[in-house]
Amino acid sequence: MAPPGDTGVVGRRVVQYIVDGFLSSLLPGLAYLALFPLAFAPAEPDGSLRNPGLALIALLVLAVLWIVVYIGYWVVWPAKAGGRTLGMRLLGIKVVRAEGGEPSMAQHFVRWILLLVDGLFAGLVGLVVILVSDRRQRVGDMAAGTLVVRD
């Protein structure tokens, strides 16, 4: 079966991964910069935290914020925007179902979860898998049944 579009977009995907990684990390990164000093800087003379409960709350807030922002950016946004993140839109690529059509939110979720694998070693795992696969898919694309194509 021929892919529903041109999958020869490896260079664009590399740049898109960098752009989207930066953009999706902005808000959690700023929250980290704001909350970390508040929670961990005030220490007793022996180096222990004055308020370990505040440190725990700060960590939980950061973890929840990170998850919510990343699901919003990598799952909800592309599911509502024709298979495109901001980086994909800038670089003229989009995610499609392998058999054609727009991917479901569940497919975008599978792709996002498997960024944990594809993103290993600064994305090298995903890049190698893309380069050796017939349809230029990373592990997340294979599991989700999706392709990234020229828009």
Side-chain angles (χ1 to χ4, degrees), residues 6-88:
D6 178 13
T7 60
V9 293
V10 177
R12 291 176 189 225
R13 288 185 77 170
V14 169
V15 176
Q16 170 264 316
Y17 176 73
I18 293 166
V19 169
D20 282 332
F22 174 77
L23 291 174
S24 63
S25 297
L26 274 176
L27 186 59
L30 291 172
Y32 173 83
L33 290 175
L35 291 175
F36 191 84
L38 291 174
F40 294 96
E44 298 293 338
D46 67 356
S48 63
L49 295 174
R50 280 195 195 132
N51 192 342
L54 180 61
L56 179 62
I57 290 170
L59 286 174
L60 290 174
V61 166
L62 287 171
V64 168
L65 179 66
W66 179 85
I67 291 167
V68 167
V69 167
Y70 274 49
I71 288 175
Y73 191 91
W74 293 98
V75 178
V76 177
W77 186 317
K80 302 285 185 190
R84 296 171 196 89
T85 61
L86 283 174
M88 288 177 166

Side-chain angles (χ1 to χ4, degrees), residues 73-132:
Y73 191 91
W74 293 98
V75 178
V76 177
W77 186 317
K80 302 285 185 190
R84 296 171 196 89
T85 61
L86 283 174
M88 288 177 166
R89 185 172 296 284
L90 287 171
L91 290 150
I93 57 179
K94 66 181 178 179
V95 180
V96 296
R97 290 176 184 259
E99 66 276 359
E102 289 190 17
S104 67
M105 185 117 24
Q107 286 174 299
H108 284 290
F109 184 79
V110 169
R111 292 183 84 248
W112 172 68
I113 285 293
L114 288 172
L115 271 176
L116 294 171
V117 174
D118 290 313
L120 290 173
F121 305 107
L124 190 58
V125 170
L127 178 61
V128 168
V129 173
I130 288 169
L131 291 172
V132 301

